[in-house]
Amino acid sequence: MPETISRKDFYFNTVTQNGTATYTDRGSKFIAYLYPLKDVADFKQKLAALKKEHAKATHHCFAYRLGLEGTVFRVSDDGEPAGTAGRPILAQIDSHQLTNVLIVVVRYFGGSLLGVPGLINAYKAAATFAIQVTPTVQQSITDRFQLQFDYTQMNEVMRIVKQFDCFVEKQEVQLFCAMEVAIPRIRLQEVLTGFRNLRDVRVVEN
């Protein structure tokens, strides 16, 4: 019996634009910012900019998840009681099956204590609202390969690249060319077969 192939093997859900939403409870304002995220350096830049923008806020709590394996993530309660902010935010990222995203929830204290249940609900709600107002997109999982070929074969190589929606990430064009391409995993075998059927094209997985 053939093994069942899940769409998760070929696609992932993320966002490609910023989103924001606000939740209020007993005078406290929770402003959630949702960002597409490239890497940890990108996270540091976005958090620093938001802290500068909201320098008078009481807390800047966040969660992010990166990559396809689910192992790269971070949460912060930023002074709130442990487990009341970062984890609820991450739970909403995961419940919507998103990756390569960052959510920062900025809190302005309104004078009334919300208690642990109230904080959990507030950070969860703010994160949920930000996700709901931001379009999510499904992107192809890609595998990266390096191609080496003679310049005279450029047209044939590019025909396959365009036909199967591959991405050229780097190239050196001389008499002998080198090119790094990202190939949609769902079309991987077709693309590799096409490249290998071309005369003297060398294909190496990165």
Side-chain angles (χ1 to χ4, degrees):
M1 184 174 179
E3 181 181 353
T4 301
I5 298 177
S6 168
R7 290 184 68 83
K8 291 182 179 180
D9 296 328
F10 300 114
Y11 301 99
F12 65 94
N13 299 318
T14 189
V15 300
T16 56
Q17 64 188 63
N18 300 342
T20 185
T22 300
Y23 175 82
T24 59
D25 187 3
R26 285 168 274 180
S28 282
K29 181 182 290 187
F30 299 82
I31 310 170
Y33 293 86
L34 172 60
Y35 302 100
L37 195 64
K38 294 183 294 184
D39 50 34
V40 175
D42 186 29
F43 152 71
K44 291 179 179 178
Q45 291 177 353
K46 286 180 166 60
L47 182 62
L50 206 53
K51 284 186 173 182
K52 184 176 181 180
E53 180 182 349
H54 293 278
K56 295 183 179 180
T58 318
H59 305 279
H60 305 82
C61 305
F62 65 81
Y64 68 73
R65 191 174 290 282
L66 286 166
L68 304 175
E69 305 302 322
T71 57
V72 181
F73 67 93
R74 185 178 169 191
V75 299
S76 172
D77 298 313
D78 192 33
E80 296 281 31
T84 61
R87 284 289 176 181
I89 296 169
L90 183 65
Q92 294 312 299
I93 292 174
D94 291 344
S95 70
H96 289 82
Q97 298 181 326
L98 298 175
T99 192
N100 297 344
V101 299
L102 162 69
I103 297 179
V104 182
V105 179
V106 176
R107 181 190 183 187
Y108 286 89
F109 183 58
S112 298
L113 298 176
L114 304 184
V116 168
L119 288 172
I120 292 173
N121 179 69
Y123 284 102
K124 173 184 175 181
T128 300
F129 293 162
I131 293 171
Q132 289 175 344
V133 301
T134 308
T136 58
V137 296
Q138 189 177 75
Q139 294 188 343
S140 296
I141 297 173
T142 58
D143 294 302
R144 287 163 174 76
F145 286 79
Q146 185 175 78
L147 309 178
Q148 297 175 349
F149 54 91
D150 188 272
Y151 180 76
T152 58
Q153 295 169 291
M154 176 65 79
N155 288 341
E156 294 175 292
V157 169
M158 290 307 299
R159 176 181 55 80
I160 295 174
V161 167
K162 293 176 181 178
Q163 179 182 354
F164 294 102
D165 297 320
C166 304
F167 302 94
V168 177
E169 300 197 326
K170 186 186 300 183
Q171 63 179 344
E172 297 178 12
V173 179
Q174 300 176 1
L175 289 179
F176 195 72
C177 303
M179 180 181 294
E180 291 184 11
V181 294
I183 303 172
R185 186 171 294 176
I186 197 168
R187 310 302 296 272
L188 182 61
Q189 293 308 313
E190 296 168 270
V191 174
L192 293 182
T193 297
F195 285 143
R196 287 165 177 158
N197 284 340
L198 298 179
R199 175 178 50 84
D200 296 329
V201 173
R202 185 165 180 254
V203 183
V204 180
E205 184 172 8
N206 278 3

